[in-house]
Amino acid sequence: MTQSLLVQDIRLDKAKKHAFVDLASQMDLTKALALNGQKLLDKPLKISKAKAKEADAAKKKKKKDPQEVQKSRNLHCVHVENLPSSATREDVLKVFPKATAVRFLGGTDGPGKGVAFVEFQNKEQADAARAQSGTATIRESVLRVNVVRESAGGRKPTTDSKNSKKAEAPPSDTLFVRNLPVKVQPKLLKKIFKSAVQIRIPQSDGKSKGFAFVEFASVAHAAKALKSSKNSAIQKRPLKVQFGLKWKAEPAQVPSKTLIVLGLHKKTTADTLTEAFEGASSSRIFVDKDTGLSRKFGFVDFESTDSCRRAKEAAEDVEIDGKKVGVAFARPKHSQAPDTGERGQHRGAKNGQTPALGRCSWWEEPLSSGNTRDSFK
């Protein structure tokens, strides 16, 4: 009032340590700022321009963009697949000790679908966890670890993003099947993929690595099997099936001088099998030692690896006794008696004979007592 300032409002702080004074005009504000340092009740005043109320209100109301928040959070998180159904949060934390949180898909207490999201304090820790993909294991299941990105359908690993179609393998005669139990056997997959001519399940210490390669006689057969296998499961684990590349055997195993032929007719003889392949020197068909019935697969021998290779290349769509068969290189060790405790009984025989089979060294997986001849229908 002494300085003739027009004041609209005065708001005194509860502690009475400061006050807000609303002036009527810019001129009044300029005159008021010039009073800085003048005394009031023997105390010098400290006067400065306050921030506009609108700016303060806007700052309080301003919130971070939810998408930006989620994007930042995803950088600290990884997507873990192929978890065993019995895994717990403690099991996951043993593999990723620096994790701050573990969440299973759907908010459940366990990885019912073999999936979990693991969060870390920073991006560096998440990157280190992602580097463990393919090497980290929980109860013999090899884990796959990917980055997490937000999409319209929720959180998904990088492989399921909008560019997933470009990453998918083209149609082929081989299907890649994952999310398998550790004790899966070929006969269980054979029940789902009845037209398969060959099933390979890579193993570690006698247990499945969680995936398999299922080969068919043609791309059309594989495409039909892919469609029919939708919603299939083994031991309550939903199968994840897609086109894949053929399983690559070790260089030392192929090529050889012998082919293995799968999916034979039950009446096919060794002589018929020899005649079906140009340049073949001999062949043999294996039978069940208890029933004497054909196991519907056999071996065809050649004089050289070159002739064996040419025969395989010419046998892409071969039919024997009206049945389309699958052909692959056999291991060079097949002529040696496998270590079964009964070497003499399981040695391969030549034309006209049908040796009994206990365990085969040519097959990627040993034939246990649980594998019946129905596994190769």
Side-chain angles (χ1 to χ4, degrees), residues 32-283:
L33 291 173
L35 300 177
N36 183 43
Q38 291 200 16
K39 291 185 178 181
L40 178 65
L41 300 178
D42 298 328
K43 287 187 177 183
L45 298 176
K46 295 180 180 179
I47 303 175
S48 61
K49 187 177 179 180
K51 293 181 180 180
K53 290 190 294 182
E54 293 78 6
D56 290 340
K59 185 176 179 180
K60 291 180 181 179
K61 293 181 179 180
K62 185 178 180 180
K63 295 181 180 179
K64 293 183 179 181
D65 186 348
Q67 292 184 351
E68 291 298 323
V69 173
Q70 188 63 59
K71 183 178 179 180
S72 175
R73 186 179 181 184
N74 287 346
L75 294 176
H76 300 178
C77 185
V78 296
H79 179 274
V80 183
E81 289 183 313
N82 203 37
L83 288 167
S85 57
S86 58
T88 63
R89 285 183 172 82
E90 289 71 24
D91 293 329
V92 178
L93 289 173
K94 287 180 181 179
V95 178
F96 308 105
K98 294 185 179 181
T100 58
V102 177
R103 295 175 289 105
F104 295 121
L105 193 63
T108 59
D109 294 330
K113 294 186 177 182
V115 175
F117 295 97
V118 184
E119 294 185 4
F120 297 86
Q121 289 183 345
N122 52 56
K123 181 179 180 298
E124 289 71 23
Q125 293 178 351
D127 291 340
R130 195 164 64 252
Q132 295 181 250
S133 181
T135 58
T137 60
I138 293 181
R139 299 175 190 172
E140 305 299 334
S141 288
V142 181
L143 306 183
R144 292 184 295 277
V145 188
N146 299 297
V147 296
V148 176
R149 291 180 181 174
E150 189 70 13
S151 67
R155 290 186 169 189
K156 293 184 179 180
T158 304
T159 51
D160 290 336
S161 66
K162 62 182 180 180
N163 296 323
S164 62
K165 292 184 178 180
K166 296 182 181 179
E168 290 180 359
S172 68
D173 61 0
T174 302
L175 295 181
F176 179 65
V177 185
R178 53 194 177 95
N179 200 36
L180 296 174
V182 294
K183 295 184 179 180
V184 67
Q185 294 184 5
K187 67 177 182 179
L188 295 177
L189 286 171
K190 189 64 179 179
K191 291 181 179 180
I192 298 174
F193 305 101
K194 296 186 169 94
S195 61
V197 298
Q198 196 164 17
I199 297 175
R200 299 180 186 272
I201 306 176
Q203 293 191 345
S204 175
D205 297 328
K207 295 183 179 180
S208 164
K209 288 186 177 181
F211 58 89
F213 298 89
V214 184
E215 189 172 344
F216 298 83
S218 66
V219 176
H221 284 83
K224 185 177 180 181
L226 176 63
K227 186 177 181 180
S228 63
S229 64
K230 188 178 181 180
N231 300 324
S232 297
I234 293 181
Q235 297 178 9
K236 297 183 179 180
R237 293 176 72 102
L239 300 185
K240 298 181 180 180
V241 187
Q242 65 188 66
F243 286 113
L245 300 177
K246 289 187 178 181
W247 186 86
K248 294 183 179 180
E250 298 177 7
Q253 297 175 359
V254 292
S256 70
K257 295 181 181 181
T258 305
L259 294 178
I260 174 176
V261 185
L262 303 173
L264 294 172
H265 193 284
K266 62 182 179 181
K267 294 183 179 180
T268 298
T269 64
D271 290 333
T272 304
L273 189 57
T274 302
E275 294 172 358
F277 294 90
E278 183 178 355
S281 59
S282 63
S283 64

Side-chain angles (χ1 to χ4, degrees), residues 212-364:
F213 298 89
V214 184
E215 189 172 344
F216 298 83
S218 66
V219 176
H221 284 83
K224 185 177 180 181
L226 176 63
K227 186 177 181 180
S228 63
S229 64
K230 188 178 181 180
N231 300 324
S232 297
I234 293 181
Q235 297 178 9
K236 297 183 179 180
R237 293 176 72 102
L239 300 185
K240 298 181 180 180
V241 187
Q242 65 188 66
F243 286 113
L245 300 177
K246 289 187 178 181
W247 186 86
K248 294 183 179 180
E250 298 177 7
Q253 297 175 359
V254 292
S256 70
K257 295 181 181 181
T258 305
L259 294 178
I260 174 176
V261 185
L262 303 173
L264 294 172
H265 193 284
K266 62 182 179 181
K267 294 183 179 180
T268 298
T269 64
D271 290 333
T272 304
L273 189 57
T274 302
E275 294 172 358
F277 294 90
E278 183 178 355
S281 59
S282 63
S283 64
R284 54 212 177 281
I285 296 175
F286 284 85
V287 299
D288 189 290
K289 65 179 181 179
D290 296 323
T291 64
L293 298 176
S294 170
R295 281 183 176 264
K296 301 180 182 178
F297 66 89
F299 293 115
V300 182
D301 295 318
F302 297 83
E303 295 295 335
S304 66
T305 55
D306 289 338
S307 58
C308 182
R309 187 195 299 274
R310 287 194 298 269
K312 183 182 183 300
E313 292 174 352
E316 292 298 328
D317 296 311
V318 67
E319 288 189 6
I320 301 177
D321 289 334
K323 285 202 66 177
K324 186 169 289 188
V325 298
V327 182
F329 288 110
R331 288 188 182 186
K333 295 180 181 180
H334 78 271
S335 60
Q336 301 175 359
D339 186 10
T340 61
E342 301 175 272
R343 294 179 181 272
Q345 297 182 26
H346 304 302
R347 188 176 296 277
K350 297 298 182 181
N351 282 1
Q353 300 182 30
T354 52
L357 175 64
R359 177 174 177 174
C360 296
S361 62
W362 53 265
W363 191 253
E364 295 305 323

